[in-house]
Amino acid sequence: MHLLLTLLLTLGLMAAPATPGDGLPKARQGTFALTNARIVTVTHGVIENGTLIIRNDRIVALGTDVKIPPDAEVIDCAGLHIYPGLIDSGTQLGLAEIGSVAETRDYAELGELTPHVQALTAVNPNSVLIPVTRVNGVTTVLTEPSSGLLSGQAALINLHGYTPEQMLLAGREVMVLEFPTTGRRGRWDRRSDEDIKKAAEKAIKTLDETWERARLYARIDSAYQASPDKSRKPAYVPEMIAMLPVIRGTMPLMIKVDAARDIEKALEWVAKQQIENVIFSGVAEGWRVADQIAEAGIPCLVGPVLSIPTRESDRYDKAYANAALLKKAGVTIALRTGETENVRNLPYHAGFAAAYGLGTEEALRAVTIVPAQIFGVADEVGSLEVGKKANLFVTDGDPLETKTQVLHVFIDGYQIPMVSRHTRLYDEFLERNPGLVKHPGATPDPTPAGSDDR
Amino acid sequence: MRRHPMKRLSLLLLACLLAGPASAQDLFIQGGTVLTVTNGTLERADILIRDGKIARVGQGLRAPRGVRTIDATGLYVMPGIIDAHSHIAISSVNEATNPITAEVAVGDVIDPYDIAIYRALAGGVTTSHVMHGSANVIGGQCETIKHRWGEKNPEALKMEGAPRTIKFALGENPTRVHGRGNNVPPATRMGVEMVIRDAFNEAQRYMDAWAQYEARLAAGERVAPPPYSERLEVLADILRGEIIVHCHSYRADEILMLMRVFEDFGIDRLVFQHVNEGFKVAPELADFGAGASVFSDWWAYKFEVYYSTAYNAAILTRNGVTTSINSDSAELNRHLYHEAAKTQKYGQLTDDEALALITINPARQLGIEDRVGSIEEGKEADLAIFNAHPLSIYAVPQMTIVDGVVRFDIHADPDDMRLNVPAEGDVETATLWSEEHAHRCMQGVDLLEFLGTR
């Protein structure tokens, strides 16, 4: 009986690989040797005809003179290229599934000040959008809440894992501040210029008050931490507790800001509040005030690159060129798509930035090592180096070029199945079976029947 | 001989006037790589344009005296891009007051000042099919325009003699706006079919009544004419095959439904727009002879596009469906060449197949394939010149020519290309595209109702 059960179980396991979640084959870790590859390390040049060894979640060796471990699974990459996994510095991936269906949107909490809500809580590891994204070489994204002023904490996630915690990269979360805007939020925004200005001023006042309170709360908290027996425990104020790491500079404050006037205001505000760990995101009109941003030394997450100019009088290619113009002024830049279902287009946003002045090398850096540095995770990801996480992908060409095929993806050392809803529908429907079957009523009728009896 | 300076100036002015691009429609484009789309690629070839038409294409041609020569050495020349689904250059999109509004036409609201026309030119697009929105089952009539930027008479933008087209819409949009928004049918996909069948039956009766009237009149009878209806006149013209129907659609079931309805009424000029699930019924589309005008990779923004694949265009093409890639967006229409290139990533289409998706195929879908859509002698001189192969991510449009007139020149155009600079000065409020989530297709449908009913 016991033997029979074992036999049945073994047969069952042999018959079909496990297909969890959306029915995708399982990713797996192990020891992999990627041989004969052109290895683009991003930080230490290009290695021609090299080998890269992955063991468990790490890159353990790379170079031209690398011994292949006997237990390694060899993947011949002759004629192929290895790149560090791409990082999108601003998305809503995992927080929204179907744009128009409110029940599937989890990025906008109610309230003006919600620093205590965490994107990570609502990241759906089984989102159908995730496999669609990662098979294009995007391995890591910042996924952001967006609402009110302090929207909550964005999470830097790897695009593989069964729980949000598994996906979170190096515990990195970022506080999101939607800076009050004097710009119009789109065609729907029908407020008068005066109303927009007033609303912005009021919001900045709210921010000032919030920071004042948060600093006070941090002082009280510090005093209590220093001597818990002598001081009174600070009151439970979840918003203020969430602000502690921001006030103490351990959590970056990511300010989403686009219009030039708002960027100037934000620079002024950051200086006034003496906030240290600051990142700008969006920065659509950054090119207008590039020198000021450079002087403040604030890194920018720029994008979407594929967008139209903010003003009718602007040159048609300003959004494409924005990243290059900022870089030229001395600003540290990474790129973001601002996308959800089409985060997979990150390499093309980078490609357009490259074509309009940034150049391929800088554009590649802006979606690999630079965001890793900005988010403080450059010792983990962003380049191909021994000891870093095995977040990488293999291509048959320039990863920014449209027609380039991605052949392998590794995230956290897991070999990712190269399938998604999109590839599976292709496989099923390219040559549909059955093909055309004439329907019963297909005989042409000489007189238009227009019958209502069908 | 010493010339008088004034005389010299006036000669120069005269030369300028004679060579002025807006009047002369003769050009000689020398030495480029010519992507004809229909007849392969010609290396180092010349194109002679006379009176706005392609007079000659070939190697080693001679520039006639006095014709402006454009040195295209190292550049790529392709047919002007055609966008089969656009909402640029019109001041309103949706007459969302009735499920059937066949009597309205976007041709009545052409806006030659829309900067989107110029931006499209800067993306190599020379022709747009400007469409009514998708709020109504049978929407308004559309207009095929040429991007003659600089012409201020709305009529001057219309492509004279282009076949008439009309917008239909199935699925979520009309059922939301009319069924759930106004409590009138259709509220379901069943109701959509009913609305269309009822409309065609009524139009059929209308035609019969008029035919009867004409016959009796011809027989010398004194009879009163039937009541005139502009709406039914247009519907009758659809039944007569005088108008090409372009139908907004997503799901396979509704696509199939419309083909069955059209078979019953003997209508065969049909192009499906968006048609995200077209890949599921590709054999049926090919059998009917319906066209498919798709997005390269848009999906998941609403439920009816959740089961999508970016391989849609490739599957349709391989199944023999005349397929185009459109924009439906004033952002995306600027890089349709890149959208077409995505079919090389998703489905490995050849260069000519990919380019056909944005040139000759949309021309076929609009019934203008004898005039534009490829580089052939006798066709209208609508051309786009790139600095690299247009399917490369690094391609930057250099010059766009409409009817032999240079309408975009990357090296000659100033940054501000507006035609109507407001008298009050250049104080412009930035409009942040990144915040603009709504699709133009549903513009004009009241926002509150839109939000309240989805």
Side-chain angles (χ1 to χ4, degrees):
Chain A
M1 182 62 200
H2 182 77
L3 193 74
L4 191 67
L5 195 67
T6 315
L7 190 71
L8 276 172
L9 277 172
T10 315
L11 278 174
L13 282 175
M14 280 167 59
T19 53
D22 196 33
L24 295 180
K26 238 180 195 170
R28 59 193 176 87
Q29 269 186 341
T31 303
F32 298 94
L34 280 52
T35 60
N36 307 312
R38 181 170 171 273
I39 303 171
V40 181
T41 68
V42 174
T43 44
H44 294 89
V46 176
I47 300 165
E48 300 290 347
N49 211 10
T51 295
L52 184 147
I53 310 288
I54 299 166
R55 189 182 285 283
N56 301 326
D57 67 331
R58 299 281 152 179
I59 298 169
V60 293
L62 95 178
T64 46
D65 189 24
V66 170
K67 205 169 159 248
I68 297 168
D71 62 334
E73 191 173 318
V74 177
I75 299 172
D76 185 4
C77 295
L80 305 178
H81 315 249
I82 311 178
Y83 291 91
L86 305 181
I87 302 170
D88 191 327
S89 299
T91 75
Q92 289 174 333
L93 193 54
L95 299 179
E97 192 70 11
I98 300 172
S100 75
V101 181
E103 292 82 351
T104 71
R105 294 195 304 260
D106 277 310
Y107 51 80
E109 189 46 76
L110 294 175
E112 216 173 25
L113 302 166
T114 55
H116 50 310
V117 308
Q118 287 176 282
L120 192 66
T121 308
V123 166
N124 173 13
N126 295 112
S127 166
V128 167
L129 317 189
I130 288 176
V132 171
T133 307
R134 67 191 181 194
V135 296
N136 275 19
V138 182
T139 59
T140 307
V141 304
L142 185 77
T143 192
E144 312 168 347
S146 72
S147 63
L149 279 171
L150 277 167
S151 322
Q153 298 160 42
L156 192 64
I157 55 170
N158 276 331
L159 298 184
H160 175 253
Y162 291 92
T163 67
E165 289 90 343
Q166 288 171 9
M167 298 169 77
L168 186 65
L169 175 62
R172 176 44 75 202
E173 289 175 285
V174 176
M175 188 63 73
V176 179
L177 168 58
E178 298 257 9
F179 202 78
T181 181
T182 55
R184 244 157 246 290
R185 290 192 168 271
R187 201 175 284 110
W188 305 118
D189 191 344
R190 289 175 189 160
R191 293 176 297 168
S192 72
D193 291 356
E194 192 60 25
D195 285 349
I196 291 174
K197 202 175 154 216
K198 269 191 201 150
E201 280 164 6
K202 187 168 160 250
I204 288 180
K205 206 172 146 218
T206 306
L207 285 181
D208 284 338
E209 288 164 6
T210 305
W211 250 256
E212 204 177 310
R213 280 181 66 205
R215 269 195 295 265
L216 178 65
Y217 192 88
R219 278 203 299 277
I220 296 170
D221 181 78
S222 297
Y224 173 72
Q225 301 293 345
S227 47
D229 9 317
K230 282 185 216 155
S231 321
R232 234 191 24 201
K233 192 173 180 181
Y236 174 68
V237 188
E239 294 89 336
M240 293 297 119
I241 295 169
M243 286 297 288
L244 286 172
V246 178
I247 295 298
R248 290 171 181 152
T250 55
M251 180 184 282
L253 177 69
M254 185 177 82
I255 301 179
K256 292 175 85 173
V257 61
D258 283 300
R261 250 189 302 181
D262 302 340
I263 296 171
E264 287 177 316
K265 269 264 187 317
L267 287 169
E268 211 177 280
W269 182 78
V270 166
K272 186 176 78 181
Q273 295 293 348
Q274 297 181 314
I275 304 167
E276 289 193 346
N277 200 350
V278 175
I279 304 166
F280 281 173
S281 172
V283 211
E285 293 197 342
W287 60 273
R288 287 188 205 279
V289 289
D291 291 338
Q292 294 172 60
I293 302 172
E295 203 188 307
I298 295 175
C300 290
L301 313 173
V302 183
V305 176
L306 292 170
S307 54
I308 57 172
T310 49
R311 306 182 195 193
E312 294 204 344
S313 58
D314 285 341
R315 196 180 143 92
Y316 71 95
D317 63 358
K318 269 298 184 287
Y320 302 156
N322 188 24
L325 294 170
L326 282 162
K327 172 80 190 153
K328 208 173 146 199
V331 179
T332 301
I333 55 123
L335 299 176
R336 68 191 286 277
T337 62
E339 270 283 358
T340 307
E341 65 273 10
N342 275 339
V343 172
R344 59 178 164 180
N345 287 339
L346 177 66
Y348 309 143
H349 285 253
F352 265 73
Y356 285 81
L358 195 58
T360 306
E361 201 174 314
E362 278 305 327
L364 185 61
R365 286 172 54 82
V367 289
T368 53
I369 190 64
V370 179
Q373 287 162 346
I374 293 173
F375 294 126
V377 293
D379 51 348
E380 288 283 307
V381 294
S383 64
L384 300 178
E385 292 178 63
V386 171
K388 281 202 179 183
K389 244 187 211 309
N391 276 15
L392 52 88
F393 66 111
V394 179
T395 70
D396 66 356
D398 178 351
L400 309 188
E401 187 57 272
T402 318
K403 69 179 173 193
T404 297
Q405 301 290 324
V406 175
L407 302 163
H408 306 281
V409 174
F410 287 84
I411 301 175
D412 262 338
Y414 283 90
Q415 187 184 25
I416 299 298
M418 294 303 290
V419 291
S420 71
R421 170 166 292 173
H422 289 229
T423 64
R424 295 202 309 175
L425 289 173
Y426 180 55
D427 292 341
E428 181 172 357
F429 286 99
L430 180 62
E431 289 167 30
R432 203 185 71 185
N433 185 17
L436 184 71
V437 179
K438 282 283 184 182
H439 65 107
T443 5
D445 190 337
T447 54
S451 56
D452 291 321
D453 55 356
R454 278 165 47 90
Chain B
M1 193 184 82
R2 198 168 163 265
R3 282 193 193 178
H4 194 274
M6 273 312 282
K7 194 175 167 189
R8 201 156 159 188
L9 193 67
S10 55
L11 271 175
L12 199 72
L13 271 172
L14 188 68
C16 281
L17 283 173
L18 286 175
S23 54
Q25 288 178 280
D26 292 355
L27 282 175
F28 186 69
I29 303 167
Q30 194 167 32
T33 300
V34 176
L35 308 164
T36 69
V37 176
T38 45
N39 293 307
T41 299
L42 309 171
E43 304 288 346
R44 284 183 303 282
D46 311 315
I47 301 171
L48 175 64
I49 299 168
R50 286 284 203 189
D51 299 322
K53 298 247 166 65
I54 298 170
R56 290 195 67 192
V57 184
Q59 279 148 331
L61 301 184
R62 273 250 183 100
R65 189 188 294 268
V67 170
R68 179 185 169 190
T69 298
I70 293 164
D71 181 9
T73 309
L75 304 179
Y76 290 75
V77 188
M78 70 172 284
I81 294 167
I82 299 170
D83 186 356
H85 192 131
S86 177
H87 302 289
I88 66 167
I90 43 175
S91 55
S92 44
V93 177
N94 267 303
E95 178 57 40
T97 51
N98 192 294
I100 305 172
T101 57
E103 64 275 25
V104 305
V106 299
D108 295 336
V109 292
I110 298 284
D111 172 15
Y113 295 95
D114 186 355
I115 193 73
I117 302 167
Y118 174 75
R119 289 172 178 163
L121 280 166
V125 186
T126 52
T127 296
S128 285
H129 182 223
V130 180
M131 304 187 77
H132 187 272
S134 56
N136 309 338
V137 178
I138 299 179
Q141 297 161 70
C142 312
E143 192 73 38
T144 301
I145 65 163
K146 283 218 185 180
H147 295 171
R148 298 178 182 124
W149 181 249
E151 303 291 342
K152 294 175 180 175
N153 178 353
E155 293 301 316
L157 266 63
K158 295 181 178 174
M159 184 172 178
E160 335 63 63
R164 293 165 67 194
T165 58
I166 193 167
K167 176 75 166 277
F168 277 36
L170 314 176
E172 287 183 21
N173 289 4
T175 56
R176 180 175 63 233
V177 171
H178 298 289
R180 265 161 295 154
N182 300 329
N183 211 29
V184 295
T188 65
R189 287 184 171 80
M190 301 184 287
V192 171
E193 177 180 17
M194 180 184 77
V195 167
I196 299 170
R197 284 187 182 277
D198 287 354
F200 284 149
N201 276 315
E202 208 187 326
Q204 191 64 60
R205 284 164 184 274
Y206 180 82
M207 287 163 75
D208 293 347
W210 274 94
Q212 228 166 54
Y213 163 73
E214 302 283 359
R216 290 175 66 181
L217 207 61
E221 279 184 61
R222 275 190 65 185
V223 282
Y228 177 86
S229 162
E230 180 66 21
R231 178 177 297 176
L232 291 171
E233 285 289 333
V234 177
L235 292 173
D237 286 344
I238 296 173
L239 291 174
R240 293 187 192 106
E242 288 169 14
I243 302 178
I244 307 171
V245 174
H246 282 255
C247 185
H248 164 112
S249 58
Y250 289 113
R251 262 180 33 189
D253 51 273
E254 64 193 21
I255 294 162
L256 216 48
M257 173 277 284
L258 195 67
M259 289 193 288
R260 299 298 175 249
V261 171
F262 274 38
E263 277 170 3
D264 287 349
F265 285 92
I267 310 166
D268 54 12
R269 300 181 83 183
L270 176 59
V271 178
F272 286 98
Q273 290 284 340
H274 307 323
V275 57
N276 273 50
E277 288 191 359
F279 67 92
K280 292 184 180 174
V281 287
E284 286 78 9
L285 284 165
D287 183 53
F288 185 93
S293 185
V294 307
F295 291 123
S296 62
D297 62 2
W298 281 15
W299 73 296
Y301 46 90
K302 59 198 324 203
F303 184 70
E304 59 189 352
V305 291
Y306 194 43
Y307 296 89
S308 295
T309 174
Y311 295 84
N312 197 20
I315 297 173
L316 289 163
T317 300
R318 292 280 172 262
N319 278 272
V321 179
T322 300
T323 306
S324 68
I325 284 183
N326 67 57
S327 79
D328 191 15
S329 151
E331 193 288 306
L332 205 119
N333 71 353
R334 306 168 313 143
H335 44 82
L336 278 167
Y337 51 95
H338 165 57
E339 303 308 312
K342 287 177 182 171
T343 60
Q344 302 199 304
K345 177 173 179 64
Y346 305 116
Q348 295 175 317
L349 294 195
T350 65
D351 285 0
D352 277 346
E353 283 173 331
L355 289 173
L357 298 170
I358 52 169
T359 54
I360 193 67
N361 285 3
R364 287 176 181 132
Q365 294 173 343
L366 299 174
I368 52 176
E369 72 273 23
D370 294 336
R371 295 171 57 182
V372 292
S374 63
I375 299 180
E376 291 179 61
E377 290 174 5
K379 279 199 166 181
E380 291 164 24
D382 294 0
L383 303 167
I385 305 178
F386 289 77
N387 65 348
H389 194 289
L391 295 173
S392 166
I393 195 86
Y394 300 109
V396 175
Q398 303 293 303
M399 189 179 271
T400 307
I401 295 160
V402 183
D403 299 318
V405 179
V406 177
R407 298 283 181 182
F408 161 71
D409 183 341
I410 196 171
H411 298 298
D413 293 351
D415 282 9
D416 184 357
M417 285 296 289
R418 287 175 299 171
L419 294 179
N420 57 342
V421 182
E424 59 267 30
D426 59 354
V427 181
E428 263 185 282
T429 316
T431 298
L432 306 173
W433 177 257
S434 52
E435 302 289 341
E436 183 127 315
H437 298 300
H439 288 174
R440 271 285 261 185
C441 239
M442 287 300 281
Q443 195 193 316
V445 178
D446 188 87
L447 176 63
L448 293 175
E449 173 198 291
F450 179 59
L451 291 175
T453 55
R454 72 182 175 188

